[in-house]
Amino acid sequence: MSEPPGAAVPLASAPPAEEPPGPSSPPRTARPAEAERPGDGTAPRPPAAQRVLPLHRPGRWIATAIVLVLVAQIAHGLVTNPFYQWDRFRYWFLRPAILDGLLITLKVTAYSAVLGLFGGILVALGRLSRSPVLRAVAWTYTWLFRSVPLIVVLLFLYNFSALYKTLSLGVPFGPAFLTFDESRLATDIVVAVVGLTLNEAAYASEVVRSGILAVDHGQHEAALALGLPKSYQFTKIVFPQALRSITPNYVNLLINLIKSTSLVFYVSLLDLFGSAQSMGSTYPGDIVPLLLVATVWYLILTSAVSVVQFYVERYFARGATRTLPPTPLQKVRAGLRDLRARARREAAI
Amino acid sequence: MTTETTETGTTEIRPAAVQVHDVHKWYGAHQVLDGVELTVWPGEVTVILGPSGSGKSTLLRVINHLEKPEVGYVSVNGEPIGVRRHGERLKELSERVILGQRSRIGFVFQNFNLFPHLTALDNVAAAPVATGKLAKPKAQELARELLGRVGLADKVGAYPRQLSGGQQQRVAIARALALRPGVILFDEPTSALDPELVGDVLAVIKDLATSGTTLIIVTHEIGFAREVADRIVFIDGGRIVEQGPPTELLDHPKHERTRDFLSKVL
C-alpha cells in the first residue's frame, strides 16, 4: 500500500523534532488494552518529518496487473465460451443420476477411508512389532499392494467375486461378503470397498508408521517407567502425538482416494465419474458440461476435506505449540483490527 | 509401602528398599556394569556420583528394568524386578507383570519426558487412572494436591511447553509421586536446566528426602549431594569404587580414582 506522493513531507523543510516520542511519554487517556499501541488517536503525534515512507515497488504493481489480466481472461473464457455450455451444466448439476453417483462416491470413500486407516494402523504395528514374522508379513503386504496398480486389484477382485460362491467356505474374509444379499449393486460396492481398502491400507501403514516413529523416544520410556498398560501407552500417549504428523499425510491419501473412486466405474459401479460418463454416452453433446459437473463436485469434496483437516490439525496441535493457530474467522477479525489500527495511525499522523 | 517382614533369621528383619545383586550389563561388546552390588535401606537417600560413561545412569535404569541386565538382578522391597527365581535360575517375567512392578518405582528423567499433549494435571493423573489404582476424580484430586506440593498449584491447566524447564521437572516429580512409589529414582534431574532454575527442583527433592522417601539420585551437584545424601556411592568403569557418608567420601576419599574425580568437579 503506497502513499500518494502529495502526502510526503520533504525531509529538509521539516521543523526539528521537539520531543522524541517514546515509551516515556504516556498517553493522555488510559485505555489499558490499547495504551501502548502507537498511533492511538490519543497518543502524542510524532513530528511529521520523522515519518518513514514505505518504499515504492513498481515491479510488484506491474506483475500484479499482468496476473490480474490473465486471471480475468481465463474467467471470461470460462463464462463466455459456448464450449462449456453452462446452461447444460446447470441442468445436470443436481440431476438425480449425478447425485446417486455422488452418493456412491461418498459411500465408497467413507468405508475405504475408515477401513483403510484401521488396516494401515494394524499393518504399521506389524512392521514395528518385535516379531520377525509379523514384520515380514506386514512388509510384504505393503510391498505387494503398493506395487500392483489399483485398477488391477479392482478387476482381479471383480472377477474373483464372480467365482465367489464356489470359494466361499475357505476364505477368511468370507463372513463379510456373505452378509450382503445377492443383488449385484451390493456386491459391486463390496468389491470396490475391499479393493480400495487394500490399496489404502498399504499406503496408510507407511503414513502411520512414520507418525509413530516421529514421536520422541523419551515418550515411550516415560510411559514404560510409569508402568502404563501397553494398550494405554499406544492409544493415549504415542498415537495421539503421532496423529499430529499423520493427519496432513493421511488427508493427502484421502483426497487421492476420493479421486481413485472414479476407477470403480470399471467394476460396473456408477460413482460420480461413472454417472457423468454414462450420461455422456447417452447424450454425447453434453460430455463437456457433464465432466464439468464431476469436476465441480470433486472440488467441493476436496474443499470439505481441507476444512476438516484444518480443524483436526488444530485440535492435535494442543500442547505442541504454545498458542493454537488462528481459525479463519479469527484471522479475519485480526485483519480488521489491524486495518482499524492502521486507519487510526494514519489519522494521527 | 513396606512388604511383610521376611523370616530370614534373627539378624535381618526388614527387607532392603533396593538391593542390586551382582549385576552385569553389556551394550554389544562393551561392558557397562561389572558386578555391581548395592543395598539401599528404606528412607535412605543415596547419591550416585561418577564420571560420564561410568555406568551410573545405566545402573539407575536397571533398577526399574528399563534396561535388562544379562547377569544378576535387582530386588525392590524384597521383590525381584523383571525376573523370578526358578529353582537355581532366573527367568524373565512377562511385560505386563514388569509394567506393574515399574508402577511401584518412581523415575524422573533428565529431559522430563512429560506428555506434551496433556495438561500438567493430566500428566500427573494419567498413571493412577491407567493402572487402575484410582478413579479419575480421585486421581485429579491427588494430582492437584501433588502439584501444590511442588509449588505449581497455579499451573494445573498448563501444557508442558508453556512451562519453564524447572516447572516441567517439578511436574515430572509430581507425576512420579502420583503412583505412591516405594522408591524414586532421579536420573540427573537438573542437568537440562538453566542454573537459576536448578534451585527450585533441588528444593522439591530435598523436601522428599526429609519426608522419609527412599531416593536414589544420579547428579553432578556435589553441594546438593553433601546436603541431602545419607550415603554417596562413587562408581567408575561399571564398578562401585567406594561408598560412604558424604563427609567421609567427599572429604576423605580412600581411593585414588575418587580423589581424582573429586579434584576435577569440586
Side-chain angles (χ1 to χ4, degrees), chain A residues 282-304:
Chain A
T282 317
Y283 305 90
D286 284 355
I287 284 185
V288 171
L290 278 165
L291 288 178
L292 274 177
V293 165
T295 306
V296 171
W297 274 118
Y298 282 120
L299 283 173
I300 291 171
L301 293 184
T302 309
S303 315

Side-chain angles (χ1 to χ4, degrees), chain B residues 34 40 51 64 123 140 195 239-240 242:
Chain B
D34 182 10
V40 175
N64 79 341
N123 262 283
Q140 293 194 333
R239 294 162 186 267
I240 292 179
E242 70 178 292

Side-chain angles (χ1 to χ4, degrees), chain A residues 11-347:
Chain A
L11 203 62
S13 67
E18 287 167 354
E19 178 194 342
S24 57
S25 48
R28 258 157 261 154
T29 60
R31 266 201 290 158
E34 311 210 338
E36 58 275 70
R37 190 176 290 162
D40 190 334
T42 56
R45 287 165 171 251
Q50 295 192 337
R51 172 91 195 272
V52 177
L53 294 173
L55 176 69
H56 287 275
R57 295 184 171 84
R60 190 185 287 176
W61 285 103
I62 294 167
T64 309
I66 292 173
V67 170
L68 281 179
V69 167
L70 286 176
V71 170
Q73 268 185 329
I74 292 170
H76 180 259
L78 265 177
V79 175
T80 58
N81 193 329
F83 175 74
Y84 297 113
Q85 304 174 59
W86 288 105
D87 53 328
R88 300 305 291 159
F89 172 88
R90 245 170 286 137
Y91 172 79
W92 283 113
F93 191 64
L94 294 173
R95 267 309 97 170
I98 296 292
L99 293 186
D100 287 349
L102 179 67
L103 196 64
I104 297 279
T105 292
L106 285 175
K107 260 193 200 165
V108 171
T109 306
Y111 286 137
S112 321
V114 172
L115 294 174
L117 182 59
F118 278 107
I121 293 171
L122 289 182
V123 176
L125 286 178
R127 286 214 52 193
L128 295 168
S129 142
R130 267 183 245 162
S131 152
V133 175
L134 282 184
R135 276 206 306 270
V137 169
W139 182 88
T140 310
Y141 175 85
T142 311
W143 168 76
L144 183 67
F145 282 96
R146 285 203 307 182
S147 308
V148 182
L150 177 57
I151 184 71
V152 176
V153 174
L154 285 171
L155 288 175
F156 195 92
L157 282 171
Y158 185 61
N159 290 299
F160 184 71
S161 73
L163 300 171
Y164 194 70
K165 275 172 207 151
T166 57
L167 290 168
S168 61
L169 280 175
V171 175
F173 299 122
F177 278 106
L178 291 177
T179 53
F180 289 90
D181 59 10
E182 293 302 311
S183 96
R184 197 58 223 167
L185 181 74
T187 328
D188 286 343
I189 281 210
V190 170
V191 167
V193 168
V194 169
L196 286 165
T197 299
L198 289 174
N199 188 67
E200 182 80 351
Y203 287 96
S205 75
E206 287 296 273
V207 166
V208 170
R209 191 170 69 97
S210 76
I212 292 173
L213 290 179
V215 176
D216 180 31
H217 184 64
Q219 295 292 310
H220 296 270
E221 282 203 327
L224 282 179
L226 286 168
L228 303 179
K230 228 175 159 188
S231 59
Y232 189 94
Q233 288 183 26
F234 182 73
T235 57
K236 295 290 170 64
I237 305 297
V238 176
F239 197 60
Q241 295 186 58
L243 273 175
R244 191 169 141 71
S245 52
I246 288 175
T247 308
N249 292 322
Y250 189 69
V251 168
N252 254 350
L253 283 187
L254 189 60
I255 287 173
N256 212 13
L257 179 67
I258 292 175
K259 293 184 293 183
S260 302
T261 53
S262 57
L263 290 177
V264 304
F265 174 62
Y266 294 101
V267 292
S268 66
L269 192 60
L270 287 185
D271 70 316
L272 178 56
F273 168 74
S275 331
Q277 183 80 351
S278 76
M279 287 295 128
S281 53
T282 317
Y283 305 90
D286 284 355
I287 284 185
V288 171
L290 278 165
L291 288 178
L292 274 177
V293 165
T295 306
V296 171
W297 274 118
Y298 282 120
L299 283 173
I300 291 171
L301 293 184
T302 309
S303 315
V305 168
S306 306
V307 170
V308 173
Q309 174 185 12
F310 176 82
Y311 285 96
V312 171
E313 277 183 26
R314 193 165 181 274
Y315 176 79
F316 287 120
R318 280 169 319 153
T321 50
R322 285 181 195 208
T323 53
L324 286 177
T327 62
L329 194 64
Q330 288 169 335
K331 270 189 205 159
V332 168
R333 284 213 196 106
L336 286 177
R337 220 180 304 129
D338 281 356
L339 275 180
R340 246 178 283 138
R342 189 185 207 138
R344 264 203 305 274
R345 193 164 62 231
E346 295 294 329

Side-chain angles (χ1 to χ4, degrees), chain B residues 218-232:
Chain B
V218 169
T219 185
H220 294 293
E221 305 276 339
I222 306 279
F224 176 69
R226 185 190 293 277
E227 210 179 326
V228 299
D230 295 311
R231 176 159 47 135
I232 294 182

